[in-house]
Amino acid sequence: MKLHNYFRSSASFRVRIALALKGLSYEYVSVHLARGEQFTDDFTQINGDALVPVLEWDGLRLTQSLAIIEYLEDTYPEPALLPKDPAGRARVRALSQSIACEIHPLNNLRVLKYLTNVLHLEEDQKNGWYRHWVRLGLEAFEKQLHHSATGRFCHGNAPSLADCTLVPQIFNGKRFDVDFSGLDKTMAIFNACMELPAFQQAQPSACPDFEA
């Protein structure tokens, strides 16, 4: 199993968490996004979208973090990252997509580079964009956590796909000094996740290509 990823990529971080939770070992292949390695001919032959992560396994090339994690779930169902009941599965997927589809696309590296390189925003303007959309999205996420199914983690008392998605977003938010005040349930779940070895093992500072 080979994972093409980048230590600072939120989407890659999600998959690393899922692999760690399921106890799956893999070869770590760094694709340095800040240096543009995702645009090389070698990598675009692997993924024409020029995005990470990509999981290569048994002749397959899997892309898109949530799809990769669901494939892992189908292939290695224990420990489960999705509830057994349809309503619970839908809720966990909705929480995951609130971050992966609503917050993250507005603030990933290629968007931030466009803001500065093409629209010529100043650094503080770019960072203000980031903080605005992440804060707005996390406020909505916090409201979704006010639900009877929320436990120590996003859904119940074991980490799920939603927690795999939340933790990387908080990590990146901290880099940009996002205001997390008032997001009490969100941050309590983040802290609970970071007590677990799988989340610690998957964090950026534990990656072989980490740069401070």
Side-chain angles (χ1 to χ4, degrees):
M1 189 182 296
K2 183 184 297 186
L3 182 67
H4 301 263
N5 74 132
Y6 177 51
F7 77 94
R8 196 166 275 163
S9 158
S10 293
S12 298
F13 192 174
R14 297 168 198 156
V15 176
R16 294 198 303 267
I17 293 169
L19 287 165
L21 286 169
K22 291 185 177 292
L24 298 172
S25 60
Y26 59 93
E27 178 186 348
Y28 188 110
V29 181
S30 176
V31 181
H32 201 298
L33 301 186
R35 296 176 188 159
E37 291 179 1
Q38 68 274 31
F39 301 117
T40 63
D41 289 342
D42 285 346
F43 186 72
T44 55
Q45 288 178 13
I46 295 171
N47 184 6
D49 287 335
L51 297 171
V52 293
V54 178
L55 185 69
E56 290 193 278
W57 189 15
D58 287 340
L60 295 174
R61 282 180 179 165
L62 306 173
T63 63
Q64 294 297 331
S65 61
L66 299 189
I68 292 171
I69 295 172
E70 292 229 20
Y71 181 85
L72 294 173
E73 182 76 352
D74 290 339
T75 309
Y76 290 93
E78 299 297 334
L81 298 180
L82 286 168
K84 302 302 182 187
D85 62 297
R89 294 169 79 86
R91 179 173 184 265
V92 167
R93 286 182 173 122
L95 287 168
S96 304
Q97 290 173 23
S98 288
I99 293 173
C101 303
E102 302 297 338
I103 301 175
H104 180 239
L106 287 166
N107 299 288
N108 65 18
L109 180 62
R110 59 183 179 176
V111 170
L112 298 181
K113 283 193 168 187
Y114 186 86
L115 291 175
T116 54
N117 297 342
V118 178
L119 299 184
H120 305 298
L121 267 63
E122 300 294 334
E123 187 73 8
D124 61 338
Q125 292 176 307
K126 179 201 74 175
N127 292 342
W129 166 283
Y130 183 99
R131 295 186 193 110
H132 170 78
W133 291 113
V134 172
R135 173 71 196 191
L136 191 67
L138 288 177
E139 286 174 354
F141 191 85
E142 176 78 10
K143 291 176 183 176
Q144 293 181 68
L145 293 177
H146 286 266
H147 188 285
S148 60
T150 301
R152 185 163 182 254
F153 298 97
C154 289
H155 189 86
N157 294 312
S160 71
L161 175 62
D163 303 285
C164 295
T165 309
L166 171 64
V167 165
Q169 185 60 71
I170 299 299
F171 261 77
N172 271 354
K174 287 185 173 187
R175 286 182 54 233
F176 284 86
D177 296 321
V178 171
D179 176 15
F180 297 121
S181 63
L183 304 175
D184 297 340
K185 287 184 178 292
T186 300
M187 297 310 296
I189 290 168
F190 170 79
N191 290 330
C193 288
M194 292 312 300
E195 292 176 3
L196 300 180
F199 286 83
Q200 296 170 16
Q201 175 186 332
Q203 67 180 304
S205 61
C207 294
D209 57 344
F210 174 72
E211 299 172 359

